C-alpha cells in the first residue's frame, strides 16, 4: 500500500550517486501528490513521449477525486511514475513512465504490480490507451498479460494515429483468494 504521509521534500539541485547503477529493488514506491510534480518528473515525461503532458496536466489529474498517482524513487529522486483513475468498473491507467536510465530493470513491473493491487470485484480490470507507434509499451503491457481489445482509428488529433485499448483482466477468484492468504 501507499505511504499516505506528507510527501518528502526533495532537493533536486543536489546530484545523486550515479543513477545508471540504480538497484530497482532498493527503489521505493509511494503515493504521488500534486506537490511532487517537479522538473525531475517533467524530464522523465519529456524523455518518454513525443507528445508529453505538461505540468498542469499532472496537477489537474492529481487534484481530481478519482485519480491517484504512484511515484517510484531512488535515493529520494524520482525514477518513475504512473497516474490512474478509479472508475466505476475499471482502473483506467492514464500515463506511466520510467526514467530512460532505469528502464528494462523491472521497475515498471514493480509499479504495475502495485497498480494491480487496486483490482477488486468492483473494478476487475485495468484499461489503458496506447499509441500505435508505441510498440515498446505494447510489448511490455502484453508481457504483463494485457490484451488489445479494440483499435480506435485516427484517435490522436495531432497525428491521426490509431490507439489501442489494452486491458488486463486477472483471474479474479484466484486473485482474491491469494489476497486472503496474504492477510491470514
Amino acid at each position: 500500500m501507499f505511504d499516505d504521509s506528507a510527501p518528502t521534500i526533495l532537493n533536486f539541485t543536489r546530484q545523486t550517486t550515479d543513477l545508471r547503477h540504480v538497484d530497482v529493488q532498493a527503489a521505493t514506491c509511494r503515493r504521488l501528490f500534486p506537490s511532487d510534480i517537479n522538473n525531475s518528473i517533467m524530464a522523465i515525461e519529456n524523455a518518454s513521449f513525443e507528445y508529453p503532458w505538461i505540468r498542469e496536466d499532472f496537477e489537474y489529474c492529481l487534484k481530481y477525486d478519482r485519480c491517484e498517482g504512484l511515484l517510484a524513487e531512488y535515493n529520494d529522486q524520482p525514477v518513475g511514475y504512473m497516474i490512474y483513475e478509479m472508475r466505476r468498473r475499471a482502473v483506467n491507467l492514464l500515463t506511466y513512465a520510467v526514467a530512460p536510465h532505469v528502464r528494462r530493470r523491472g521497475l515498471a513491473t514493480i509499479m504495475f504490480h502495485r497498480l494491480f493491487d487496486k483490482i477488486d470485484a468492483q473494478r476487475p480490470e485495468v484499461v489503458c490507451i496506447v499509441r500505435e507507434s508505441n510498440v515498446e509499451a505494447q510489448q511490455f503491457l502484453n508481457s504483463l498479460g494485457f490484451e488489445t481489445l479494440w483499435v480506435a482509428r485516427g484517435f490522436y488529433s495531432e497525428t491521426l494515429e490509431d490507439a489501442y485499448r489494452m486491458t488486463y483482466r486477472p483471474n479474479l477468484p484466484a486473485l482474491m483468494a491469494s489476497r486472503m492468504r496474504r492477510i491470514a
Side-chain angles (χ1 to χ4, degrees):
M1 283 294 162
F2 292 125
D3 173 9
D4 285 334
S5 61
T8 306
I9 303 301
L10 303 177
N11 179 359
F12 291 98
T13 58
R14 176 179 62 93
Q15 289 295 321
T16 61
T17 58
D18 185 356
L19 290 177
R20 290 173 293 174
H21 303 289
V22 170
D23 175 9
V24 298
Q25 299 305 317
T28 58
C29 291
R30 66 172 177 83
R31 189 168 187 156
L32 176 66
F33 295 94
S35 60
D36 292 321
I37 306 304
N38 55 42
N39 292 339
S40 296
I41 288 179
M42 296 312 302
I44 295 170
E45 175 73 8
N46 290 324
S48 300
F49 299 104
E50 184 177 356
Y51 299 96
W53 283 18
I54 60 174
R55 187 180 308 265
E56 290 77 15
D57 295 332
F58 284 93
E59 291 168 350
Y60 175 80
C61 284
L62 291 171
K63 289 178 183 174
Y64 183 54
D65 286 343
R66 295 189 316 195
C67 284
E68 297 179 12
L70 177 68
L71 176 64
E73 296 174 305
Y74 180 77
N75 285 347
D76 291 332
Q77 297 296 310
V79 290
Y81 60 84
M82 64 175 39
I83 296 178
Y84 49 90
E85 179 185 15
M86 302 298 288
R87 300 200 69 153
R88 181 172 293 145
R89 293 198 167 99
V91 178
N92 184 24
L93 177 62
L94 301 174
T95 190
Y96 78 95
V98 172
H101 62 277
V102 185
R103 290 182 187 154
R104 299 187 183 279
R105 297 188 195 173
L107 182 60
T109 300
I110 292 168
M111 293 168 56
F112 269 88
H113 284 282
R114 291 283 186 102
L115 180 66
F116 295 157
D117 284 342
K118 299 289 183 180
I119 295 173
D120 57 23
Q122 180 183 352
R123 296 178 189 94
E125 62 186 13
V126 175
V127 298
C128 62
I129 303 293
V130 180
R131 283 183 182 271
E132 178 181 29
S133 61
N134 196 346
V135 176
E136 187 176 357
Q138 293 169 36
Q139 291 172 340
F140 172 67
L141 293 170
N142 281 328
S143 77
L144 293 175
F146 279 79
E147 296 177 310
T148 300
L149 296 185
W150 53 257
V151 178
R153 303 282 178 215
F155 182 83
Y156 291 99
S157 60
E158 310 91 7
T159 60
L160 297 180
E161 185 175 2
D162 294 346
Y164 296 147
R165 182 179 192 261
M166 300 185 75
T167 302
Y168 174 80
R169 290 184 181 141
N171 176 340
L172 199 56
L175 176 69
M176 299 312 281
S178 71
R179 286 185 183 164
M180 293 305 291
R181 282 193 296 276
R182 279 192 289 181
I183 292 171

